[in-house]
């Protein structure tokens, strides 16, 4: 009824009360989500800031303020520094391979060919399988005795001898990176495909009319359009990669000799398994400065795209 | 030169043109298939190896003398019967479903109204609030699992599956709010305006008119709440250690390994039994997932 009156012109005061009513309705709809997120994401985040400057441990509920001691101790610890280095190496190298393979596969998959749907559902399998299951499957693929990778590799003469993939530092790092790439490249490809199919055909056609050959077209028309999409995919993937623990934990548990230790596994060992909550929180928070620019860039790119 | 000759010449040229197009098409198809074959092999082979392992008898599995990627003794279901008779696999399946159910309920209760409010009600600052909620999806469990362990132990849910019901919505709510908000933007505003004119309150209009046409979106949100909970390992590992309280991914990864002994047959059987249905479900909704996280701009 109220809205009918609104149309026919109502006193200003009345209209304002309707406006306020709508706002109240809106905020009460938002409340459950906002409260849940504030209590279980916002508050814990600030709580972890507090933990990181305290000497809290699992057995000791009353914590003392210790200033930046945890951070100092953490940065002096060589296994932390190794974990930090590994995290960066792992994320960057895996990211490059995912971008390359993902782009290549996206270009093949956007072609109009028979059986496209079936092929697509097969090649995205690595991404759609739950990651824990992926990690277990690869643990078996890299088994020291029955490695399927070695069995195939030696027979097609790609691999010599019988390498113990998860047992030697360099190989272990290569293995966890390979598994992360295996899991992540279909995601990059699918994000790119979604973006490419949104490119209006007219743009490509007009470039053709203007006499641009394939490479010029590729360079001036397609790259500028898909580069931001690839960026979005990669940034998302970086967040997923930085926060994923299951591949490293289930394949190597950070070993051998800490060669695949990353910040998440280190935080788990120190904060939970050794019970030093404060120090563990400090280790997790070391991820924050890495994560912050990624998230900022991601939100900015998404926002700009939406404005277009 | 007669008219008939000209005509048949043209027909011949046209036929040659068609043939040229056909051979070009064939060549293009072959090239694309050739390029895709390595990708297909790499993507499918580990899954195939899992499946073979799950159905192989133990003797066959560890026989180094034979070609490993096929059966040399008849396929067996012994790993599956082992799972159900000698492990908590049945409980893990039940836990996974129970967790998925309650997480979906909590997620929908929060995300559907929030998504609607963000999409429709023109609230001042709605965009920033939406980004704020989505930020929750980008703050990874790795930053939260230590402080949350205190919250979980204070709630006395620690060690049980209910701990996971409490924490999983921290990543399903942001994602599903974003998804629902995008979905509600596609519902024509006229239908709820009509309901409002008919004298419905805003809440009644939402429940009676908007929700029934949004079933597809809500179903998608449920699917993602389920598949996203299946991706977690860290929270389950940290908060649940009682064997019969574990969800499948954690149970398979922790209880089927005794020291250095891996029960590979049962491990792969248990992993595939839930992995394949989840993967199939996910791949049906993959496009919506991508559209959901990259925003409405990428369709």
């Amino acid at each position: 009824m109220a809205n009918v009156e609104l149309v026919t012109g109502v006193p200003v005061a009345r209209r304002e009360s309707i406006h306020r009513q709508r706002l109240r309705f809106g905020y009460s709809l938002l409340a459950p989500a906002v409260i849940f997120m504030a209590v279980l994401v916002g508050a814990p985040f600030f709580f972890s800031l507090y933990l990181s400057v305290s000497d809290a441990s699992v057995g000791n509920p009353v914590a003392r303020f210790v200033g930046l001691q945890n951070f100092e101790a953490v940065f002096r610890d060589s296994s932390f520094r190794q974990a930090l280095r590994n995290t960066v190496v792992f994320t960057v190298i895996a990211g490059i391979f995912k971008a390359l393979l993902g782009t290549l596969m996206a270009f093949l998959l956007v072609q109009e060919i028979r059986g496209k749907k079936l092929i697509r559902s097969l090649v995205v399998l690595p991404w759609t399988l739950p990651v824990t299951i992926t990690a277990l499957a690869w643990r078996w693929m890299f088994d020291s005795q029955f490695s399927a990778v070695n069995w195939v590799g030696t027979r097609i003469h790609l691999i010599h001898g019988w390498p113990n993939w998860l047992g030697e530092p360099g190989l272990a790092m290569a293995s966890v990176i390979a598994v992360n790439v295996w899991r992540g490249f279909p995601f990059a490809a699918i994000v790119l495909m979604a973006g490419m199919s949104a490119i209006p055909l007219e743009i490509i056609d007009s470039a053709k009319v203007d006499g641009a050959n394939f490479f010029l077209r590729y360079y001036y028309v397609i790259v500028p359009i898909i580069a931001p999409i690839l960026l979005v995919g990669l940034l998302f993937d970086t967040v997923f990669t930085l926060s994923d623990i299951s591949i490293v934990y289930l394949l190597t548990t950070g070993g051998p000799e800490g060669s695949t230790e990353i910040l998440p596994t280190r935080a788990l060992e120190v904060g939970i398994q050794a019970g030093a909550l404060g120090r563990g929180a400090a280790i997790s928070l070391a991820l924050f400065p890495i994560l912050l620019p990624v998230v900022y860039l991601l939100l900015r790119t998404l926002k700009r795209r939406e404005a277009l | 030169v007669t008219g008939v000759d000209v005509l048949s010449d043209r027909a011949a040229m046209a036929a040659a043109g068609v043939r040229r197009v056909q051979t070009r098409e064939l060549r293009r198809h072959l090239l694309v298939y050739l390029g895709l074959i390595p990708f297909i092999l790499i993507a499918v082979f580990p899954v195939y190896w899992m499946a073979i392992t799950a159905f192989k008898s133990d003797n066959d599995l560890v026989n180094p003398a034979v070609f490993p990627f096929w059966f040399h003794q008849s396929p067996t279901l012994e790993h599956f019967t082992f799972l159900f008779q000698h492990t908590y696999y049945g409980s893990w399946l039940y836990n996974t479903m129970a967790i998925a159910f309650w997480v979906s309920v909590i997620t929908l209760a929060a995300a559907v109204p929030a998504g609607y409010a963000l999409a429709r009600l023109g609230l001042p600052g709605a965009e920033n609030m939406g980004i704020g909620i989505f930020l929750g999806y980008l703050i990874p469990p790795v930053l939260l699992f230590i402080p949350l362990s205190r919250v979980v132990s204070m709630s006395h849910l620690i060690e049980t599956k209910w701990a996971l019901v409490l924490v999983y919505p921290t990543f399903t709510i942001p994602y599903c709010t974003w998804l629902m908000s995008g979905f509600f933007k596609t519902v024509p505003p006229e239908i709820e305006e009509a309901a409002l004119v008919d004298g419905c309150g805003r809440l009644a209009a939402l429940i009676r008119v908007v929700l029934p046409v949004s079933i597809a979106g809500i179903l998608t949100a449920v699917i993602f709440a389920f598949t996203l909970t299946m991706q977690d390992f860290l929270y389950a590992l940290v908060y649940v250690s009682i064997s019969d309280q574990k969800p499948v991914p954690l149970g398979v990864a922790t209880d089927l390994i005794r020291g250095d002994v891996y029960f590979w047959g049962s491990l792969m059987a248990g992993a595939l039994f839930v992995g394949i249905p989840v993967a199939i479900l996910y791949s049906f909704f993959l496009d919506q997932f991508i559209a959901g996280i990259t925003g409405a701009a990428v369709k």
Side-chain angles (χ1 to χ4, degrees):
Chain A
M1 271 333 218
N3 280 51
V4 178
E5 286 167 3
L6 189 72
V7 176
T8 55
V10 278
V12 175
R14 186 73 198 279
R15 204 182 305 169
E16 257 170 24
S17 91
I18 291 166
H19 180 66
R20 217 174 310 136
Q21 198 189 328
R22 195 185 49 157
L23 288 191
R24 206 182 313 134
F25 178 63
Y27 288 121
S28 56
L29 287 184
L30 267 177
V34 171
I35 292 171
F36 191 96
M37 294 306 286
V39 171
L40 285 164
V41 177
F45 179 73
F46 288 106
F47 185 46
S48 96
L49 292 179
Y50 161 78
L51 281 177
S52 70
V53 292
S54 79
D55 66 349
S57 65
V58 169
N60 169 23
V62 195
R64 258 179 336 117
F65 177 74
V66 295
L68 295 177
Q69 267 179 33
N70 285 325
F71 288 97
E72 282 166 28
V74 157
F75 274 94
R76 264 200 310 275
D77 179 12
S78 67
S79 43
F80 166 81
R81 289 203 304 269
Q82 192 179 14
L84 184 61
R85 209 165 40 235
N86 287 343
T87 304
V88 174
V89 169
F90 180 86
T91 311
V92 170
I93 295 185
I96 291 171
F97 277 100
K98 279 178 279 196
L100 289 175
L101 290 173
T103 312
L104 183 56
M105 190 163 90
F107 272 104
L108 290 166
L109 277 178
V110 288
Q111 303 295 323
E112 282 306 324
I113 50 162
R114 275 161 200 251
K116 187 173 162 176
K117 276 221 166 103
L118 175 72
I119 292 174
R120 205 191 78 155
S121 61
L122 288 178
V123 290
V124 298
L125 208 53
W127 171 257
T128 53
L129 274 180
V131 59
T132 315
I133 284 163
T134 302
L136 287 170
W138 279 94
R139 169 101 213 193
W140 177 221
M141 295 276 291
F142 286 130
D143 186 80
S144 54
Q145 263 185 295
F146 304 105
S147 167
V149 174
N150 283 352
W151 203 94
V152 175
T154 51
R155 271 161 188 76
I156 58 173
H157 301 288
L158 266 179
I159 296 172
H160 301 284
W162 198 262
N164 183 5
W165 290 98
L166 304 177
E168 282 164 44
L171 290 180
M173 192 57 170
S175 307
V176 291
I177 289 175
V179 176
N180 181 275
V181 171
W182 184 77
R183 176 174 156 70
F185 83 89
F187 174 72
I190 297 289
V191 171
L192 267 178
M193 275 175 68
M196 285 190 217
S197 59
I199 300 177
L201 276 175
E202 298 88 65
I203 296 184
I204 297 171
D205 284 344
S206 69
K208 266 186 203 168
V209 172
D210 291 345
N213 67 25
F214 175 79
F215 289 100
L216 285 179
R217 243 174 19 236
Y218 182 73
Y219 193 76
Y220 288 108
V221 182
I222 300 176
V223 168
I225 297 176
I226 68 161
I229 309 166
L230 184 63
L231 182 69
V232 169
L234 279 182
L235 290 174
F236 262 112
D237 186 79
T238 306
V239 176
F240 296 149
T241 300
L242 286 174
S243 58
D244 179 57
I245 194 172
S246 43
I247 290 175
V248 168
Y249 186 86
L250 290 172
L251 256 65
T252 63
T253 329
E257 295 135 40
S259 59
T260 56
E261 192 85 88
I262 50 173
L263 291 178
T265 54
R266 188 72 196 146
L268 178 70
E269 283 159 23
V270 174
I272 301 292
Q273 287 161 356
L277 290 175
R279 200 160 290 184
I283 295 172
S284 307
L285 282 174
L287 267 178
F288 196 62
I290 306 176
L291 212 54
L292 201 61
V294 176
V295 169
Y296 173 75
L297 209 59
L298 182 56
L299 289 179
R300 230 188 50 169
T301 321
L302 282 179
K303 216 170 161 181
R304 181 154 3 114
R305 292 179 58 75
E306 210 149 7
L308 281 174
Chain B
V1 181
T2 64
V4 176
D5 282 340
V6 170
L7 279 181
S8 69
D9 254 16
R10 278 192 192 154
M13 272 160 68
V18 168
R19 264 200 305 279
R20 233 189 350 265
V21 169
Q22 274 175 343
T23 41
R24 204 191 300 152
E25 263 300 281
L26 192 69
R27 234 191 25 225
R28 198 178 59 90
H29 262 81
L30 280 178
L31 271 176
V32 175
Y33 285 136
L34 217 62
L36 280 171
I37 282 172
F39 286 107
I40 298 172
L41 283 180
I42 289 171
V44 174
F45 178 71
V47 184
Y48 169 77
W49 182 217
M50 285 174 90
I52 289 281
T53 307
F55 291 103
K56 259 190 179 190
S57 68
D58 277 328
N59 290 332
D60 196 3
L61 210 52
V62 298
N63 183 353
V66 294
F67 178 70
F69 308 120
W70 194 241
F71 297 100
H72 301 279
Q73 293 167 17
S74 50
T76 168
L77 287 174
E78 66 186 28
H79 300 304
F80 290 91
T81 49
F82 174 84
L83 278 178
F84 283 100
Q85 285 169 1
H86 300 283
T87 74
Y88 288 107
Y89 197 76
S91 308
W92 301 339
L93 279 178
Y94 169 75
N95 294 338
T96 298
M97 298 317 289
I99 291 167
F101 176 78
W102 288 111
V103 168
S104 301
V105 168
I106 294 174
T107 304
L108 288 185
V112 170
Y116 179 78
L118 290 177
R120 270 306 163 73
L121 295 174
L123 302 175
E127 194 188 12
N128 288 332
M129 256 182 292
I131 288 173
I133 292 178
F134 192 58
L135 213 53
Y137 186 64
L138 297 176
I139 297 183
V142 177
L143 278 180
L144 297 175
F145 75 102
I146 290 176
L148 270 178
S149 71
R150 268 290 165 83
V151 178
V152 170
S153 65
M154 270 179 345
S155 68
H156 298 288
L157 300 173
I158 192 109
E159 305 299 357
T160 71
K161 59 175 168 285
W162 302 109
L164 301 181
V165 172
L166 182 70
V167 298
Y168 282 170
T170 57
F171 53 81
T172 57
I173 287 178
Y175 180 75
C176 291
T177 301
W178 199 251
L179 187 85
M180 289 313 298
S181 149
F183 189 84
F184 284 129
K185 279 181 191 154
T186 67
V187 176
E190 287 79 21
I191 60 167
E192 64 198 281
E193 276 159 21
L196 287 175
V197 170
D198 285 347
C200 279
R202 284 192 170 272
L203 185 64
L206 170 60
I207 293 172
R208 281 196 228 141
V209 182
V210 181
L211 288 190
V213 298
S214 308
I215 292 294
I218 293 171
L219 187 70
T220 313
V222 170
I223 302 284
F224 286 123
F226 173 57
T227 49
L228 288 176
T229 62
M230 288 299 293
Q231 302 291 348
D232 167 73
F233 181 67
L234 180 61
Y235 283 150
L237 179 71
V238 176
Y239 303 142
V240 182
S241 56
I242 302 171
S243 279
D244 69 358
Q245 290 291 322
K246 291 174 180 178
V248 173
L250 178 70
V252 170
T254 54
D255 278 29
L256 298 178
I257 303 166
R258 302 272 148 77
D260 269 352
V261 183
Y262 286 71
F263 295 85
W264 284 119
S266 339
L267 260 166
M268 294 298 115
L272 268 187
F273 195 71
V274 297
I276 291 297
V278 169
I280 291 171
L281 202 60
Y282 203 161
S283 67
F284 277 130
F285 287 84
L286 197 60
D287 290 323
Q288 279 99 316
F289 179 76
I290 303 295
I293 59 173
T294 55
V298 178
K299 210 188 138 274

